[in-house]
Amino acid sequence: MPFSLPELPYAKDALTPHIDAQTMEIHHGKHHAAYVSKANDALKGTSLENASVQEVARRLAELPADKQTAVRNNAGGHLNHSLFWQVMAPPSSGGGGEPKGELAAAIEKSFGGFDAFKEKFAAAAAGRFGSGWAWLCAHGDGSVHVTSTANQDNPTMDKAFGGEGADHHPILGLDVWEHAYYLNYQNRRPDYVSAWWNVVNWSKVQELYDAAKA
Ligand code: MN
């Protein structure tokens, strides 16, 4: 089955003022849509044509060399954005605040506290030169760590493709491409990152954490 563009789980203006409606509309309806259609074109006729996007990301090395870059960029873009929409929610429906339960405990253990985690994550987001993503990843053993990737790479891709391997499960991702914030924040990426904490959907992140440990 070719990939298709997932619906946003909230209205385009639901994350305002932290992320404006026009940015959401172009980001989802144009950028993400283009990753989907280009990934489908590049995968057509290959052995991974019917694989899930997660599987495609893990198995890029199996593709013909002349397809690998297009699939890495575009299936990566589809995978990353599909997560991104899910890990946000309007403040009026649970966005923002702090993680609870086991995830909060894992963050405490790995970083020494929620504020220390936020600092480390924001530094990864600010320090990613050019376009890319900041991530919170979980491992099967329940530990968590912060990382970042360039372009549309994903931590589950193998090292030859900018990732960290299949035991790095992204449970929270922040898009730091300029297309994600430029209309509202221009060059002020750190302001975008600070505002973004107000729309993080921690109950979804907890769900992904539980799944990564299972
Ligand atoms: Mn994006």
Side-chain angles (χ1 to χ4, degrees):
M1 278 290 285
F3 302 141
S4 57
L5 181 67
E7 293 283 327
L8 282 177
Y10 32 72
K12 291 181 187 74
D13 61 357
L15 306 180
T16 55
H18 311 295
I19 302 181
D20 63 285
Q22 193 186 8
T23 294
M24 288 300 289
E25 182 170 352
I26 297 169
H27 198 178
H28 175 259
K30 304 289 184 201
H31 291 280
H32 189 171
Y35 295 126
V36 168
S37 111
K38 289 177 183 171
N40 288 336
D41 287 348
L43 283 163
K44 198 174 283 178
T46 71
S47 60
L48 297 180
E49 189 175 20
N50 294 309
S52 69
V53 67
Q54 289 82 3
E55 207 174 338
V56 168
R58 281 196 300 268
R59 295 170 58 188
L60 287 171
E62 295 173 31
L63 290 166
D66 66 340
K67 302 279 188 181
Q68 286 175 351
T69 301
V71 175
R72 173 184 185 172
N73 290 338
N74 292 291
H78 176 41
L79 177 63
N80 295 344
H81 288 84
S82 297
L83 177 78
F84 187 51
W85 314 130
Q86 295 289 325
V87 296
M88 298 190 289
S92 58
S93 2
E98 296 193 13
K100 299 185 181 72
E102 285 183 39
L103 175 58
I107 286 173
E108 175 80 33
K109 192 170 170 192
S110 293
F111 306 106
F114 183 60
D115 287 341
F117 153 70
K118 279 170 65 179
E119 259 177 54
K120 188 157 188 186
F121 189 96
R128 168 50 58 188
F129 182 76
S131 298
W133 292 75
W135 304 99
L136 176 65
C137 289
H139 298 276
D141 66 3
S143 63
V144 287
H145 78 285
V146 163
T147 188
S148 79
T149 56
N151 303 316
Q152 295 297 352
D153 291 345
N154 182 282
T156 60
M157 290 174 179
D158 69 38
K159 289 191 173 121
F161 297 93
E164 301 187 342
D167 187 41
H168 294 245
H169 305 277
I171 60 172
L172 179 65
L174 172 58
D175 189 342
V176 297
W177 282 58
E178 284 186 347
H179 70 218
Y181 63 86
Y182 206 85
L183 291 178
N184 202 21
Y185 296 94
Q186 293 82 47
N187 60 315
R188 292 173 283 115
R189 187 191 286 183
D191 292 354
Y192 158 67
V193 176
S194 304
W196 178 74
W197 295 115
N198 294 301
V199 295
V200 173
N201 181 354
W202 286 109
S203 55
K204 181 67 191 180
V205 182
Q206 174 75 55
E207 201 181 298
L208 293 168
Y209 177 74
D210 292 343
K213 281 200 311 165

